[in-house]
Amino acid sequence: MTTKRHWCAAIGAVLFSAGLLLGATLLRPDQDPSRVASVFANRLTPVAMLHSRQQSSPQETAGGQSEPTDYEPLFEGWDDPVLALFISGRQHGYIEPCGCTGLDRQKGGLLRRHTLQKQIMDKGWNVVSIDAGNQVKRFGKQAHLKLSTTYQCLCSTMNYQAIGFGPDDLKVPVIEMLQIMANHGGSDNPFVSANVILFSPEFTHRYRVIEVAGKRIGITAVIGDEHLTQLPPSSDLRTQAADSALREVIPQLTRENCDLTVLISHTSLEQSRQLASDHPAFDIVITTGGSGEPTLYPEKIPAPRSNHVTQMVQVGVKGMYVGVVGIFPGAANPIRYQRIPLDARFEDSPEIKEKFLNYQNQLQTIGLQGLGLSPTRHPSDREYVGSETCADCHDTAFDIWENGVEGSGDEVGPHARATLDLLEPTERVWVKRHYDPECLSCHVTGWNPQKYFPYETGYLELGHEHLHGNGCENCHGPGSKHVAAENGDIDVDEATRVQFYKEMIVTLEQAKQQLCFECHDLDNSPDFHEDDAFEKYWARIAHDEDE
């Protein structure tokens, strides 16, 4: 087993080298009584799956959480399994669901995942928690802090026994990854990969064997060859073709006399099927392939030259779902599976709340400069002046921005209160996010909404009150030249004055086809992409194009 001393020594070696270089869905078995009776000894029984009931929307309560109404029941008809696999992955930066749709319409997040895990453990079930990996979406200091928070939650709070790496995780500089893993992995770290070695084999198990309830569960993981070629070159990162690595690891797993074997596959659905078919030693394949929700049905992958059938389970995207596989040896249905959306029925975990608060506090302490976010000149070469300056001439439009459209029911214009939503959130009121660049980018004036960095003269701190809210200039562009020309602060001819004015015009079609999607994207406002959604949103801020 890896010891803390090994971790520290290895990191020290890397740092030294760096310094030298440059400072209720059920599964039924097929009708085969002999295999049903020996599910562990003879691998998983081939299974078929029943349809699950659809869930309906919850009713939101005043506190921001939601009251479940007709959610799909959890583990309906299940007795207590001998063990349960708790399967997650492909978080891709979404440590919590984000967006403007309200928590009752969002899925995912570590806060809810931990609550579900605790509910299962409170049943007295023997749980083996497996995360497929691919935690990272972006890169840089904030992304590394988020990865550290994720590993802290998975390793220290949720006690995951196996964690894989996704291809995006391995684009984080190796030294950063090693430090994060050492900080949170502990002496018996859970990180596993058959075909990727970070610096030293002591940092990453080629496979893990977990002993639970007298059963041995062997787990390994691979990253598809197509991803390996995209990894940044590093002398501290060694890779091997997936098929070759599995041919080395499978004999070792066989000698471990495992009762259940699991493969985490970071490749396409097609390639995951091929790996399962070529290597029938695995009972379950957990795949990160697929572009949407995980399927209701684990896919059966038969081996071409044996009677073995591997079950393939998808994890979905953005960490929105958890899959639970229950093992019931000797029962009528020895293997059962349920795909569980992390929806509003699961309250925020108090333990994970603490980690989230610490994450936001770190962002505040480090500050924008510490996060590597230096203000950049706007491509238009204009400067931001603030929405109140626009009010001098565009008073009707400003009033709509500030107060909303008359009769809409808004006490404050939805864009005007954007910064206030970070300071005084109406949901998850226990955390403020006004130091978080991923939130600031659409909740203040003068940031790039998709790349999360400020422009020169844009918002940098709370004291810049004239740039609070998602202001006029976020759509129309910085207004300095237009304002200066109209006020006579600069000497320009009529043609130039008109040109500066025209540069500020945004047509309704431009807003509908492009501009609004910069903040109301699929991540933050999925319902904005529905038919006629733009018209519904526009009605709350409608103002004349001339304004």
Side-chain angles (χ1 to χ4, degrees), residues 496-539:
T496 302
R497 184 193 71 79
V498 171
Q499 177 60 33
F500 288 163
Y501 165 73
K502 288 183 177 180
E503 289 174 354
M504 304 297 295
I505 294 176
V506 174
T507 67
L508 198 59
E509 192 63 21
Q510 287 174 320
K512 182 176 182 177
Q513 298 298 327
Q514 178 183 358
L515 281 174
C516 294
F517 290 116
E518 291 183 350
C519 282
H520 294 281
D521 55 18
L522 281 169
D523 290 340
N524 296 303
S525 295
D527 61 339
F528 194 84
H529 298 250
E530 297 172 359
D531 292 340
D532 300 325
F534 176 84
E535 286 71 20
K536 179 184 70 175
Y537 276 74
W538 174 252

Side-chain angles (χ1 to χ4, degrees), residues 74-279:
L74 297 182
F75 315 120
E76 188 174 33
W78 289 33
D79 297 322
D80 291 340
V82 171
L83 63 89
L85 304 184
F86 184 87
I87 299 169
S88 59
R90 208 174 173 191
Q91 183 173 278
H92 214 214
Y94 294 89
I95 58 177
E96 61 176 326
C98 176
C100 309
T101 59
L103 291 176
D104 61 309
R105 300 186 63 188
Q106 297 171 347
K107 301 186 186 77
L110 290 168
L111 292 150
R112 291 170 172 176
R113 192 196 303 179
H114 185 220
T115 295
L116 170 60
Q117 186 197 48
K118 287 191 297 182
Q119 288 180 5
I120 296 173
M121 289 181 169
D122 286 345
K123 293 175 174 289
W125 292 5
N126 298 301
V127 176
V128 178
S129 297
I130 304 171
D131 192 272
N134 227 33
Q135 319 293 353
V136 173
K137 179 181 181 182
R138 301 191 300 117
F139 308 100
K141 184 64 176 178
Q142 181 175 7
H144 300 167
L145 285 175
K146 191 183 289 188
L147 177 62
S148 180
T149 300
T150 297
Y151 280 168
Q152 183 182 25
C153 293
L154 297 185
C155 298
S156 302
T157 306
M158 302 178 73
N159 296 313
Y160 270 72
Q161 289 100 323
I163 301 174
F165 298 111
D168 292 327
D169 299 334
L170 297 177
K171 294 176 184 176
V172 174
V174 173
I175 184 58
E176 292 275 358
M177 279 292 293
L178 294 179
Q179 288 177 322
I180 294 170
M181 291 163 62
N183 287 340
H184 304 301
S187 60
D188 186 22
N189 78 84
F191 303 104
V192 60
S193 177
N195 68 331
V196 172
I197 296 176
L198 293 173
F199 183 69
S200 165
E202 293 177 344
F203 277 83
T204 309
H205 305 280
R206 295 200 78 185
Y207 66 89
R208 297 212 73 198
V209 177
I210 312 299
E211 295 193 31
V212 176
K215 304 300 179 183
R216 293 170 63 80
I217 300 93
I219 305 169
T220 190
V222 291
I223 293 178
D225 299 348
E226 74 276 16
H227 296 302
L228 297 180
T229 60
Q230 303 300 316
L231 296 179
S234 171
S235 60
D236 297 319
L237 180 65
R238 287 179 284 166
T239 63
Q240 183 180 359
D243 184 79
S244 172
L246 288 178
R247 293 186 186 281
E248 294 178 2
V249 168
I250 287 173
Q252 299 175 50
L253 276 175
T254 301
R255 289 192 292 270
E256 294 283 355
N257 295 317
C258 295
D259 300 294
L260 185 74
T261 50
V262 179
L263 171 65
I264 300 169
S265 173
H266 275 284
T267 186
S268 67
L269 293 177
E270 180 180 356
Q271 288 301 313
S272 294
R273 293 184 190 106
Q274 191 65 51
L275 288 174
S277 177
D278 291 345
H279 302 281

Side-chain angles (χ1 to χ4, degrees), residues 34-106:
S34 63
R35 289 182 64 84
V36 170
S38 56
V39 61
F40 278 96
N42 298 315
R43 307 300 179 196
L44 295 185
T45 306
V47 293
M49 201 168 181
L50 302 176
H51 285 284
S52 69
R53 288 198 292 252
Q54 298 295 316
Q55 67 179 55
S56 62
S57 300
Q59 300 296 319
E60 188 176 355
T61 63
Q65 293 291 339
S66 302
E67 289 290 339
T69 54
D70 190 26
Y71 288 116
E72 175 189 338
L74 297 182
F75 315 120
E76 188 174 33
W78 289 33
D79 297 322
D80 291 340
V82 171
L83 63 89
L85 304 184
F86 184 87
I87 299 169
S88 59
R90 208 174 173 191
Q91 183 173 278
H92 214 214
Y94 294 89
I95 58 177
E96 61 176 326
C98 176
C100 309
T101 59
L103 291 176
D104 61 309
R105 300 186 63 188
Q106 297 171 347

